[in-house]
Amino acid sequence: MTDLLQTRPASRRPLVDRYRLMLLIRVFEERAAELFQQGVIVGTAHSCVGQEAIAVGAAGVMREGDYLVGHHRSHGHLIAAGADLRRMMAEMFGKRTGYCKGLGGSMHIADLSLDILGCNGIVGAGIPHACGAALTAQLRGSDRACVAFFGDGAAGQGAAHEGMNLAATWKLPVVFVCENNQFALSAGWRTQRAVEDLAGRAAGYGIHGEVVDGNDLLAVEDAVARALTAARDGEGPSFLEMKTFRRMQHSMRANLPDVRDPAVLEEWEPRDPIPQLEHALRGSGVLDDDGVAAIGTEVAAQVEAAIEEALADADADPADLLPSVFAAHRSHPAPPPDGDRQLGFVAAIREALDLELEADPDVIVMGEDVGAVGGIFRATEGLYERYGAERIRDTPLTESGFVGCGIGAALTGLRPVIELQFSDFAAVAFDQIVNQAAKLRFMTGGTASMPLVLRMVSGGGVRLGAQHSQSLEALFAHIPGLVVVMPSRPYDAKGLLAAAIRDDNPVIFLEQKLLFFGEPEPVPVERYAVELGSARVARAGNDVTVVALGATVGHALRAARELEAEGIDVEVLDPRTLVPLDIEAITTSVAKTSRVVVAHEAVRFGGFGGEIASQIAEHCFWELDAPVVRVGAPSHPMPYQKDLEQATLPGPADIATAVRALAAR
């Protein structure tokens, strides 16, 4: 290393400053471990002691404006990138002054003002987010790049493979930095994979791969600088495997023994990056005993000041909890009258996409076969020709990868609309939807925006069998942080999709297949939005309320026409959005009719109808003249055979039977 000091570019920050920063990270981590043992820090945190050269070396050659994505062991990355020590300690102490107001903790710290997009408690999950940030940089024509840090364990996660494949395919300006610290929680690399060098996998993605001494600051600087230059020059991503060693246990927990081979610890002891750099600086005359002591005193004082100030701060406040879940929904002018023009459901979806793409250059569409094919249900037909491949983006078959990419793009200013061909496929991207899109705003204390729409074709009716026909709205509605929209007619499909795209929250937009084959209905030509959280009375009535979701609204209207001849006056209420749910509209209708049927295509047991029934019981108990009745599918997956599928799906006859029974009570 001493020889390399002579050839290090003069434009880089002085090595003594790099030494000081590495030591600052070391002292921060050691004090955090002591505070954990004292019970001041609770829960868990993950130390990067021994890996400081990677954080400092990489951050030192990044430019202002470059994005950084961390992982669960990212204190060093944050400090190297300029994060405030007091706010970091405050977050670990559960203080309101912490980066995430005490809502995220050590594993989830982000500082969007520094382009630190966040760290992650799910191994490997941030890699697709880095792709999304790099996509934003690419589409905006900037020279910004993204550096994504992850551990050797994450290299085996599907999200890592999907993200790297996506980045390679689109030549995104991202540098993947794998901190190979030799161990997972306790298991060595030989129990994790068959190859010693992870960088060899880069060839499988068609990208540059390189093994780097992660304990050599100068080697890290050079490798990351080369990779960033290549990324900015349009050469695509690189995979840098930094060989290093985690000197502490996996996490700051007292209940697990350290079962690592002592011989391995002894082997890596002389390769500690801080003494190595100190030795080189002493040899070059930059440092002596007094200089080393002065730096040690300085960084210790910095850390102690941060601890002292953070401990004096106010604790996390319960008042921050609910406001951190959702950004405020946007208000929109009253939508126009229906008009005379007739449009089908899919055509209304397509028109909403077209108008929002035209109005806002930050709107992009991503998904499998959404380009020249126009989507398997043709919702994006013609958009590829009009807006081009950059904004109507065909993706690899990697749901976790492209949903995660959409999350990263949304975090960095785009408004992605992601198409999942079937809601069933959400299971493949479940972590990115449930643990990432839904939670990132909350875990950053409400500072992040997540303007992301996930369009999903839902339900049965076209003989696609059990894995392509589920109605999963209750599952999504149960996850705090997700808006759930379920239109029942073309007019609302257009207006609600427009509102979803303009919203600053992740929106699950469910399009039920049976609606694709309905008759065209009046839809205005102009661009408009239908307010999220606003139900509509699809048919006024006085005897029984039917609260119906999605395609069952049409069933309810047909049943109502049939029952009218029998002297039963049915009111049909369409919630349109399940989250937020217009409880006031439901209770108003129930107060008028005193009898309620809740209908949906999903399985009845555990379906969203149970939530609606519970809300009615809670708010309208004394207005009810009979129990709430639910209509839904039986508790088995959707069968393929057409007669069995038809028998499984609730229809107008099922709703009519339920209404008759209620009216007779």
Side-chain angles (χ1 to χ4, degrees):
M1 180 183 286
T2 305
D3 294 337
L4 292 175
L5 293 177
Q6 308 303 318
T7 59
R8 183 173 181 264
S11 59
R12 293 181 187 167
R13 294 162 188 166
L15 271 178
V16 70
D17 290 345
R18 303 293 85 194
Y19 171 78
R20 180 184 291 107
L21 189 53
M22 288 170 61
L23 192 61
L24 180 65
I25 295 169
R26 175 71 58 93
V27 173
F28 181 96
E29 293 287 64
E30 290 176 342
R31 286 293 287 123
E34 292 170 0
L35 291 165
F36 181 85
Q37 293 297 326
Q38 295 166 12
V40 178
I41 296 174
V42 298
T44 190
H46 301 78
S47 168
C48 69
V49 167
Q51 303 177 203
E52 297 89 351
I54 299 172
V56 174
V61 295
M62 292 171 67
R63 292 182 187 171
E64 184 177 352
D66 284 345
Y67 300 111
L68 187 154
V69 173
H71 52 76
H72 60 280
R73 194 183 306 284
S74 274
H75 298 161
H77 307 135
L78 295 160
I79 295 170
D84 182 78
L85 297 184
R86 173 187 177 177
R87 294 187 67 190
M88 287 183 63
M89 278 294 182
E91 185 61 32
M92 296 166 72
F93 296 158
K95 300 292 186 175
R96 198 182 192 200
T97 53
Y99 268 109
C100 311
K101 298 182 181 178
L103 305 184
S106 166
M107 292 187 289
H108 306 116
I109 296 175
D111 188 342
L112 300 180
S113 70
L114 294 175
D115 298 302
I116 299 171
L117 302 185
C119 306
N120 217 294
I122 305 296
V123 173
I127 293 174
H129 305 172
C131 296
L135 177 62
T136 299
Q138 185 183 75
L139 290 180
R140 290 182 169 173
S142 74
D143 65 351
R144 301 169 82 172
C146 182
V147 177
F149 295 95
F150 59 100
D152 49 301
Q157 287 282 351
H161 295 290
E162 294 187 25
M164 290 185 196
N165 180 62
L166 190 68
T169 303
W170 290 350
K171 288 192 175 297
L172 296 175
V174 58
V175 178
F176 298 109
V177 176
C178 176
E179 298 178 291
N180 184 350
N181 61 25
Q182 312 303 312
F183 287 91
L185 190 149
S186 64
W189 70 263
R190 288 176 178 80
T191 65
Q192 304 288 312
R193 57 187 182 275
V195 295
E196 182 173 1
D197 293 335
L198 288 161
R201 294 180 180 175
Y205 307 120
I207 64 177
H208 171 71
E210 183 179 346
V211 175
V212 182
D213 182 352
N215 285 5
D216 183 336
L217 175 77
L218 303 184
V220 173
E221 286 182 337
D222 288 344
V224 176
R226 288 193 302 270
L228 284 170
T229 297
R232 297 187 212 282
D233 289 345
E235 297 176 21
S238 298
F239 184 130
L240 304 180
E241 180 187 1
M242 304 284 181
K243 300 281 191 180
T244 186
F245 190 72
R246 167 170 51 83
R247 294 171 61 83
M248 289 189 174
Q249 291 196 55
H250 168 72
S251 62
M252 297 178 192
R253 293 193 296 185
N255 63 326
L256 296 176
D258 191 345
V259 298
R260 295 179 295 177
D261 185 349
V264 176
L265 276 67
E266 291 176 12
E267 175 191 345
W268 280 89
E269 181 66 26
R271 299 167 66 179
D272 186 327
I274 294 179
Q276 281 194 88
L277 182 57
E278 180 186 322
H279 177 75
L281 292 173
R282 284 176 179 272
S284 65
V286 175
L287 274 182
D288 56 18
D289 289 346
D290 290 341
V292 169
I295 291 173
T297 300
E298 176 190 340
V299 299
Q302 281 184 258
V303 173
E304 292 308 313
I307 293 170
E308 183 178 347
E309 292 171 5
L311 284 173
D313 291 338
D315 288 340
D317 192 332
D320 291 327
L321 292 171
L322 287 177
S324 296
V325 179
F326 289 113
H329 298 295
R330 298 192 180 191
S331 297
H332 305 283
D338 293 359
D340 298 323
R341 186 188 61 145
Q342 303 287 308
L343 208 61
F345 191 91
V346 174
I349 293 289
R350 185 186 308 121
E351 188 164 272
L353 290 171
D354 190 7
L355 291 171
E356 298 308 311
L357 283 158
E358 181 180 45
D360 187 348
D362 287 332
V363 175
I364 62 171
V365 175
M366 289 196 291
E368 297 164 4
D369 305 305
V370 298
V373 169
I376 61 171
F377 290 99
R378 314 313 300 276
T380 57
E381 184 178 15
L383 300 181
Y384 178 84
E385 291 76 13
R386 181 167 186 187
Y387 297 101
E390 286 196 338
R391 295 185 67 195
I392 311 297
R393 305 185 72 91
D394 279 327
T395 65
L397 275 68
T398 53
E399 281 81 5
S400 181
F402 66 73
V403 170
C405 180
I407 291 169
L411 279 172
T412 51
L414 298 185
R415 291 187 174 274
V417 181
I418 310 295
E419 178 178 301
L420 291 171
Q421 292 177 337
F422 299 93
S423 63
D424 314 68
F425 295 177
V428 186
F430 206 54
D431 171 64
Q432 292 296 334
I433 297 171
V434 171
N435 281 322
Q436 310 301 324
K439 293 186 174 73
L440 282 174
R441 173 180 165 81
F442 180 83
M443 293 189 305
T444 60
T447 59
S449 288
M450 186 62 62
L452 175 73
V453 177
L454 299 172
R455 290 183 45 244
M456 303 182 193
V457 173
S458 174
V462 292
R463 292 189 63 194
L464 292 176
Q467 294 178 340
H468 290 69
S469 305
Q470 295 175 91
S471 295
L472 299 175
E473 62 270 10
L475 185 154
F476 296 121
H478 186 67
I479 307 300
L482 296 177
V483 175
V484 183
V485 178
M486 202 169 183
S488 68
R489 60 173 183 158
Y491 180 99
D492 290 334
K494 177 179 174 179
L496 287 168
L497 182 53
I501 293 171
R502 298 178 213 173
D503 202 57
D504 291 324
N505 298 290
V507 179
I508 306 295
F509 195 90
L510 298 166
E511 304 163 15
Q512 287 199 283
K513 299 185 193 74
L514 288 176
L515 297 170
F516 297 172
F517 309 105
E519 292 296 321
E521 296 182 14
V523 177
V525 175
E526 58 261 46
R527 181 179 179 235
Y528 64 91
V530 172
E531 295 261 354
L532 301 175
S534 173
R536 74 176 179 104
V537 177
R539 183 187 191 277
N542 295 296
D543 296 334
V544 178
T545 294
V546 177
V547 181
L549 311 185
T552 57
V553 172
H555 299 335
L557 291 171
R558 285 190 284 276
R561 289 193 291 271
E562 176 185 334
L563 292 165
E564 186 177 20
E566 301 173 23
I568 303 174
D569 190 16
V570 176
E571 177 151 300
V572 178
L573 188 75
D574 176 6
R576 300 196 287 197
T577 61
L578 309 188
V579 181
L581 182 64
D582 191 346
I583 297 171
E584 182 179 354
I586 295 171
T587 57
T588 298
S589 180
V590 174
K592 179 169 64 169
T593 65
S594 300
R595 293 177 174 82
V596 191
V597 173
V598 183
H600 52 61
E601 188 180 311
V603 172
R604 179 178 179 273
F605 185 86
F608 193 74
E611 175 63 29
I612 295 175
S614 177
Q615 293 284 349
I616 291 169
E618 184 176 340
H619 295 285
C620 306
F621 181 81
W622 299 109
E623 282 81 15
L624 289 172
D625 289 341
V628 177
V629 174
R630 290 178 292 151
V631 174
S635 293
H636 59 70
M638 191 67 69
Y640 165 73
Q641 199 269 345
K642 64 180 179 66
D643 295 329
L644 293 177
E645 181 183 50
Q646 189 64 33
T648 298
L649 292 169
D654 301 290
I655 296 172
T657 298
V659 171
R660 288 189 189 99
L662 270 185
R665 292 180 72 114

